[in-house]
């Protein structure tokens, strides 16, 4: 009988150890999940901050390009109105170069 009770006690001890191990693993998993959530929140926050900064920079660049394009268009219009024959000559020359390029590229 003592052998049987010794086995019983040994089995109960092993079961208690396994339960303790499972509880420890569950706690570790929860801690890792919490840490992962914190890390993901930090990464998300950093990504959103970088996106806002990029949008701000692109918005500024777009405004600058828009302004420069408008200024260039106005300057071109003014020059064309002040010098119509020169503008026409440049336009004809550009068309001639384009036509010559297209003819040469077919060969």
């Amino acid at each position: 009988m003592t052998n049987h009770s010794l086995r019983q006690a040994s089995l109960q001890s092993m079961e208690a150890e396994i339960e303790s191990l499972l509880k420890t693993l569950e706690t570790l998993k929860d801690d890792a999940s919490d840490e992962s959530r914190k890390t993901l929140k930090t990464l998300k926050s950093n990504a959103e901050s970088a996106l806002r900064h990029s949008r701000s920079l692109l918005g500024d660049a777009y405004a600058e390009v828009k302004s420069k394009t408008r200024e260039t268009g106005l300057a071109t219009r003014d020059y064309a109105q002040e010098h119509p024959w020169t503008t026409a000559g440049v336009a004809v020359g550009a068309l001639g170069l384009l036509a010559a390029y297209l003819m040469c590229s077919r060969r």
Side-chain angles (χ1 to χ4, degrees):
M1 273 294 196
T2 58
N3 198 12
H4 182 19
S5 63
L6 190 58
R7 281 187 191 169
Q8 189 82 17
S10 180
L11 281 175
Q12 287 175 351
S13 174
M14 286 173 63
E15 286 176 356
E17 285 293 322
I18 290 173
E19 279 187 42
S20 174
L21 179 61
L22 288 175
K23 286 180 185 178
T24 302
L25 288 174
E26 190 67 32
T27 303
L28 181 62
K29 182 187 89 168
D30 291 342
D31 289 346
S33 295
D34 289 343
E35 190 63 33
S36 294
R37 280 188 216 109
K38 288 177 186 176
T39 302
L40 285 174
K41 284 181 183 179
T42 302
L43 288 173
K44 182 180 177 186
S45 174
N46 290 344
E48 288 173 345
S49 176
L51 181 62
R52 279 192 301 274
H53 182 67
S54 295
R55 282 184 178 162
S56 173
L57 290 176
L58 287 175
D60 293 344
Y62 174 74
E64 187 177 335
V65 167
K66 183 178 173 184
S67 173
K68 294 281 186 185
T69 302
R70 185 167 187 79
E71 289 173 10
T72 304
L74 292 173
T76 303
R77 184 195 65 193
D78 292 344
Y79 182 83
Q81 287 177 352
E82 290 175 14
H83 307 293
W85 290 108
T86 304
T87 304
V90 170
V92 169
L95 287 175
L97 287 173
L98 179 63
Y101 173 76
L102 291 175
M103 288 178 160
C104 289
S105 67
R106 284 189 173 179
R107 290 182 183 178

